Amino acid sequence: IFQLLRARTGHDFSRYKKNTLIRRIERRMSVHQMADIKAYFRFLQDSDVETQVLFKELLIGVTQFFRDPEAFELLETVYLPEYLREKPEGYLIRVWVPGCSTGEEAYSIAIVLQECMESIKRHFAVQIFGTDLDEAAIRTARSGLYSERISADIHPERLKKFFTREMNSYRIKKNIRKMVIFAPQNIVQDPPFTKLDLLSCRNLLI
């Protein structure tokens, strides 16, 4: 299965966490009502579609806006104000969010940075890089369009200030979207971003 995934997706999962791999493969076997791993492997060999589905399952693309709100509150009220007050005018703030999935964490940081700059009455250029192996997730992140379910994770004032309602969805406003650059990246193989002010691995570490 590792060899097949590597041949068809170009990505090597052979050193992935074993229990995670087993759970995800068993989940796909259950969907297809298969009890035999050899039968599932033969099915994978015959199905490019199933290979791509398993690939996406292994990436665990689960994220949300302001996950663990206490961490974002500390970032906004304690760490960022102290850090930014020491920076000169015209300073470029560089942030990297590897494993950003569909972009919620990167946009959350952009919103917090905007609020922090407003509170300390200083303005800086902001460049946030959101990267992920999953190119479909990156396309969603770039669109900045999310289901109305995000209202459960975002304070109403933030929702009103930083999002625009579109039918049954919310879209990030342009002033926040332009802070973030999304790109596909394999963190195992591709070079990292450097000269950073903030590196957020919280989503990646899941």
Side-chain angles (χ1 to χ4, degrees), residues 4-5 7 12 27 32 35 46 48 66 74 83 96 113 118 122 126 137-138 147 161 194 205:
L4 190 61
L5 283 168
D12 183 6
R27 180 172 165 177
H32 295 290
D46 295 335
D48 287 337
F66 301 101
L74 278 172
Y83 183 77
W96 181 24
L113 273 166
E118 290 172 4
R122 296 196 63 191
V126 176
I138 288 295
S147 159
K161 184 174 180 180
T194 57
L205 289 173

Side-chain angles (χ1 to χ4, degrees), residues 88-102:
E89 291 298 321
Y91 183 78
L92 173 62
I93 302 166
R94 286 170 56 91
V95 179
W96 181 24
V97 184
C100 69
S101 189
T102 45

Side-chain angles (χ1 to χ4, degrees), residues 10-189:
H11 301 298
D12 183 6
F13 289 90
S14 61
R15 298 180 70 181
Y16 229 55
K17 188 177 179 183
K18 186 176 179 181
N19 289 344
T20 300
L21 284 166
I22 291 170
R23 282 198 308 272
R24 296 286 157 167
I25 291 170
E26 286 178 342
R27 180 172 165 177
R28 293 307 304 165
M29 289 172 63
S30 176
V31 167
H32 295 290
Q33 298 180 329
M34 292 180 177
D36 178 33
I37 186 72
K38 291 180 182 178
Y40 181 66
F41 175 62
R42 287 192 295 271
F43 177 58
L44 273 177
Q45 286 180 305
D46 295 335
S47 174
D48 287 337
V49 171
E50 180 62 21
T51 306
Q52 292 300 320
V53 172
L54 178 60
F55 168 64
K56 287 185 70 70
E57 282 275 334
L58 292 173
L59 296 181
I60 316 176
V62 178
T63 185
Q64 67 185 70
F65 282 96
F66 301 101
R67 185 177 51 221
D68 303 327
E70 312 80 36
F72 279 99
E73 186 175 349
L74 278 172
L75 188 65
E76 182 172 9
T77 61
V78 179
Y79 300 117
L80 279 177
E82 182 179 336
Y83 183 77
L84 294 179
R85 283 191 184 101
E86 299 174 354
K87 298 302 175 186
E89 291 298 321
Y91 183 78
L92 173 62
I93 302 166
R94 286 170 56 91
V95 179
W96 181 24
V97 184
C100 69
S101 189
T102 45
E104 287 89 331
E105 184 175 342
Y107 284 131
S108 297
I109 291 173
I111 288 170
V112 163
L113 273 166
Q114 180 62 36
E115 290 177 336
C116 185
M117 289 188 293
E118 290 172 4
S119 71
I120 65 172
K121 294 181 172 54
R122 296 196 63 191
H123 178 76
F124 300 96
V126 176
Q127 210 170 52
I128 300 173
F129 303 100
T131 65
D132 200 276
L133 198 62
D134 186 346
E135 295 193 28
I138 288 295
R139 287 194 293 272
T140 297
R142 284 175 179 156
S143 75
L145 187 67
Y146 298 96
S147 159
E148 61 185 352
R149 291 192 299 271
I150 66 170
S151 60
D153 304 318
I154 303 173
H155 191 280
E157 288 183 11
R158 273 180 171 158
L159 203 59
K160 183 178 179 181
K161 184 174 180 180
F162 297 111
F163 294 80
T164 302
R165 187 71 185 256
E166 294 185 9
M167 301 291 288
N168 296 323
S169 304
Y170 287 99
R171 191 183 296 276
I172 295 271
K173 287 189 176 178
K174 190 175 180 180
N175 66 318
I176 298 298
R177 282 216 316 276
K178 71 181 182 182
M179 292 183 184
V180 191
I181 301 165
F182 290 104
Q185 187 207 38
N186 184 335
I187 196 171
V188 178
Q189 298 174 349

